[in-house]
Amino acid sequence: MAVLVVTLPGPLVSLDEAKAHLRVTSDDENDSIEGYIAAACAWIDGPWGWLGRCIGKHVLEVRSNVFGGFSRLPLGPVQAIVSVQYVAADGVERTLDPAEYVLDDDAMDRAPGFAWPLLRGDPNGVRVRYEAGFVEVPKPVKQAVLLLVGQWFSVREAVNVGNIVTEPPFAVRALLGPYRIIRV
């Protein structure tokens, strides 16, 4: 199931937090620091991030040809379902009334007493838009972002000393490990 990003989150740490971590007091490096923050957040967070989940507040959309395809909405924690749209059997696009479904532990299911509507059968005829990410960015994740920003700020060029590094630094992995989702 493909996940579409409708809205990206803001940065996981602020420029002021990063500057305090780096002990930078002038504004001369702001653009570089903001770039490092954006790179660290993109590397960690969201559909393409190392964690395999959303940390910052994303608005995402998944599509399916059936309602049952959403037993678990990907990249949670899911905070809310924004909308559920579908192509009905008569070919008309409709929005499902929120009273007809429930969100339970990152899964969308029918509300008691309701049945899913009949569908025309379009390949992406059911679209669920939802908010995913933590209400507040966990402190270990913020610290990992700051460590990456600090590393990139102090070593501004690619370094190769005879080996290829494919893993993040140990401290970053240790901080992020509890939040990582590994698909099997």
Side-chain angles (χ1 to χ4, degrees):
M1 162 182 347
V3 177
L4 304 166
V5 177
V6 177
T7 306
L8 288 169
L12 301 177
V13 300
S14 70
L15 176 61
D16 289 339
E17 289 171 309
K19 286 174 71 173
H21 174 76
L22 299 169
R23 297 187 176 123
V24 172
T25 56
S26 76
D27 292 338
D28 296 345
E29 301 278 0
N30 284 4
D31 288 343
S32 293
I33 296 168
E34 286 176 330
Y36 297 137
I37 292 168
C41 294
W43 183 79
I44 290 170
D45 194 16
W48 307 281
W50 188 77
L51 290 176
R53 70 173 338 152
C54 291
I55 298 293
K57 182 182 169 191
H58 290 70
V59 176
L60 304 173
E61 185 175 285
V62 290
R63 299 175 178 185
S64 180
N65 63 335
V66 295
F67 280 104
F70 306 112
S71 59
R72 182 159 294 294
L73 296 168
L75 301 166
V78 176
Q79 297 300 326
I81 295 176
V82 175
S83 66
V84 179
Q85 296 180 310
Y86 65 98
V87 179
D90 61 6
V92 176
E93 185 173 302
R94 293 196 169 92
T95 301
L96 195 61
D97 185 325
E100 296 183 43
Y101 57 85
V102 294
L103 175 64
D104 182 30
D105 192 29
D106 294 348
M108 185 185 88
D109 204 353
R110 294 174 297 207
F114 289 96
W116 294 127
L118 295 176
L119 302 171
R120 184 169 69 181
D122 297 33
N124 291 314
V126 180
R127 294 180 311 284
V128 177
R129 190 169 284 193
Y130 61 101
E131 293 176 357
F134 287 76
V135 173
E136 185 176 326
V137 176
K139 289 184 184 201
V141 174
K142 283 185 155 206
Q143 189 61 43
V145 170
L146 292 172
L147 288 175
L148 287 172
V149 169
Q151 180 180 350
W152 296 336
F153 184 79
S154 64
V155 181
R156 296 186 181 215
E157 302 295 327
V159 177
N160 185 348
V161 290
N163 56 357
I164 298 171
V165 178
T166 59
E167 286 291 317
F170 175 77
V172 172
R173 280 185 291 141
L175 289 165
L176 295 177
Y179 300 94
R180 189 169 188 204
I181 304 287
I182 299 174
R183 309 278 183 233
V184 289

